[in-house]
Amino acid sequence: MADRPAAVLRFYEELNDFLPEERRKRDFPVEVDRARSVKDAIESVGVPHTEVDLVIVDGRSVDFTHLLRGGERVAVYPMFERLDIAPLVRLRPRPLRDPRFVADTHLGKLARHLRMAGFDTLYGNDWDDDHIVALSGAQRRTILTRDKGMLRRREVERGYFVRSVESESQLAEVVRALQLESLIVPFVRCRECNTPLEDVPREAVLDRLPEKVRASYDRFKRCPGCGRVYWEGTHFRRMKGLLERARAQDSAP
Ligand SMILES: [Zn+2]
């Protein structure tokens, strides 16, 4: 290894999640042979390029195609890192003031939570990776996945690797990581089919409601997609609490 050209890489913040313990938060060499793109060098150590927002080589921001020839110092920053790096080159357009998602097959509960928070989220329990990646590209949707391999695919531009395992923690994590907190609008979208809900007069749904609900609630929404009726019941309050907790975590330092 002594004679082969190498660049020294260092990863910041949550990008370290992808590295083995001995490489976290410290400099380490990566061989570059005669020339190797920054993107290739980064992915060779297991960090998906979709997680990277900024690469600094010897003090200068570069794009993914920048070639390393050996001897460089490379600092790699995550997407959505909150440092003020506006003057530097970002590797892709700023995310998404109208964020839209496609969730992988393991994230059905998270998809429903996101819909309840108002976010357009596609999900199918039998979708394969190709389909998810194609949807992401065609509709500019951010892929949410627990599969790092999917995010390493060349054609993926927008993706987020979900660290948490439990669905409510996943919601809080995604809200925090993608800075969605001010964009939450609860109960405007069907949690089962993603269709925007419409207001519906009480009389129109009365015969479909359980006795207790009929007696206790006045305001209802209906999904024009699947016909489900929503009201501000127990589930509504539970979800509201969950969203408030996600927001509160988001505003924590
Ligand atoms: Zn629906």
Side-chain angles (χ1 to χ4, degrees), residues 119-139:
F119 297 108
D120 180 347
T121 308
L122 298 184
Y123 163 81
N125 62 10
D126 58 351
W127 289 354
D128 63 18
D129 289 5
D130 289 341
H131 184 65
I132 291 170
V133 169
L135 269 175
S136 164
Q139 303 183 3

Side-chain angles (χ1 to χ4, degrees), residues 187-203:
F187 309 102
V188 294
R189 192 173 286 279
C190 179
R191 65 191 288 269
E192 297 305 323
C193 76
N194 198 43
T195 307
L197 300 177
E198 52 189 29
D199 290 325
V200 63
R202 191 167 175 273
E203 308 79 64

Side-chain angles (χ1 to χ4, degrees), residues 175-216:
V175 165
R176 186 174 58 246
L178 308 193
Q179 302 183 4
L180 302 176
E181 128 257 315
S182 64
L183 303 172
I184 292 175
V185 186
F187 309 102
V188 294
R189 192 173 286 279
C190 179
R191 65 191 288 269
E192 297 305 323
C193 76
N194 198 43
T195 307
L197 300 177
E198 52 189 29
D199 290 325
V200 63
R202 191 167 175 273
E203 308 79 64
V205 294
L206 216 52
D207 58 331
R208 301 185 44 195
L209 302 174
E211 187 65 43
K212 255 175 78 179
V213 173
R214 224 182 289 180
S216 318

Side-chain angles (χ1 to χ4, degrees), residues 43-251:
E43 298 221 307
S44 75
V45 301
V47 177
H49 72 273
T50 51
E51 295 277 321
V52 173
D53 198 26
L54 178 70
V55 181
I56 308 269
V57 175
D58 293 334
R60 200 165 57 84
S61 60
V62 302
D63 68 28
F64 278 135
T65 62
H66 182 86
L67 290 179
L68 301 172
R69 297 177 190 282
E72 298 92 341
R73 296 188 69 85
V74 182
V76 188
Y77 293 88
M79 228 175 157
F80 313 111
E81 173 57 24
R82 289 171 187 208
L83 302 171
D84 180 13
I85 53 177
L88 303 169
V89 176
R90 284 186 175 268
L91 294 172
R92 61 181 60 72
R94 270 321 278 176
L96 321 181
R97 286 305 80 188
D98 177 24
R100 284 178 293 173
F101 303 102
V102 52
D104 83 14
T105 51
H106 305 290
L107 297 176
K109 281 187 181 168
L110 172 62
R112 288 187 182 83
H113 291 336
L114 283 165
R115 290 168 180 165
M116 289 296 268
F119 297 108
D120 180 347
T121 308
L122 298 184
Y123 163 81
N125 62 10
D126 58 351
W127 289 354
D128 63 18
D129 289 5
D130 289 341
H131 184 65
I132 291 170
V133 169
L135 269 175
S136 164
Q139 303 183 3
R140 299 173 157 252
R141 291 176 179 274
T142 300
I143 297 174
L144 300 173
T145 182
R146 300 219 352 107
D147 172 9
K148 294 170 195 173
M150 181 146 55
L151 297 183
R152 285 194 201 111
R153 291 169 60 149
R154 173 184 303 273
E155 64 271 37
V156 171
E157 252 189 44
R158 299 176 171 78
Y160 177 73
F161 171 69
V162 179
R163 277 79 166 166
S164 309
V165 174
E166 190 276 320
S167 69
E168 296 194 1
S169 310
Q170 289 172 341
L171 176 67
E173 177 192 327
V174 169
V175 165
R176 186 174 58 246
L178 308 193
Q179 302 183 4
L180 302 176
E181 128 257 315
S182 64
L183 303 172
I184 292 175
V185 186
F187 309 102
V188 294
R189 192 173 286 279
C190 179
R191 65 191 288 269
E192 297 305 323
C193 76
N194 198 43
T195 307
L197 300 177
E198 52 189 29
D199 290 325
V200 63
R202 191 167 175 273
E203 308 79 64
V205 294
L206 216 52
D207 58 331
R208 301 185 44 195
L209 302 174
E211 187 65 43
K212 255 175 78 179
V213 173
R214 224 182 289 180
S216 318
Y217 298 95
D218 296 320
R219 294 178 49 213
F220 298 92
K221 294 195 174 196
R222 180 168 56 195
C223 172
C226 69
R228 277 187 176 73
V229 176
Y230 291 83
W231 59 90
E232 300 194 1
T234 319
H235 183 71
F236 179 100
R237 285 194 295 275
R238 206 178 72 81
M239 278 304 300
K240 216 165 177 170
L242 170 61
L243 294 172
E244 267 153 26
R245 286 197 297 284
R247 276 190 175 130
Q249 286 193 26
D250 185 71
S251 60

Side-chain angles (χ1 to χ4, degrees), residues 4-32:
R4 312 185 75 162
V8 174
L9 270 63
R10 186 182 184 118
F11 290 84
Y12 287 87
E13 305 300 333
E14 63 265 29
L15 292 180
N16 286 285
D17 297 352
F18 297 96
L19 298 174
E21 192 64 47
E22 66 274 14
R23 288 184 154 178
R24 289 181 186 170
K25 301 185 177 181
R26 68 187 54 162
D27 298 348
F28 61 88
V30 173
E31 282 185 30
V32 297

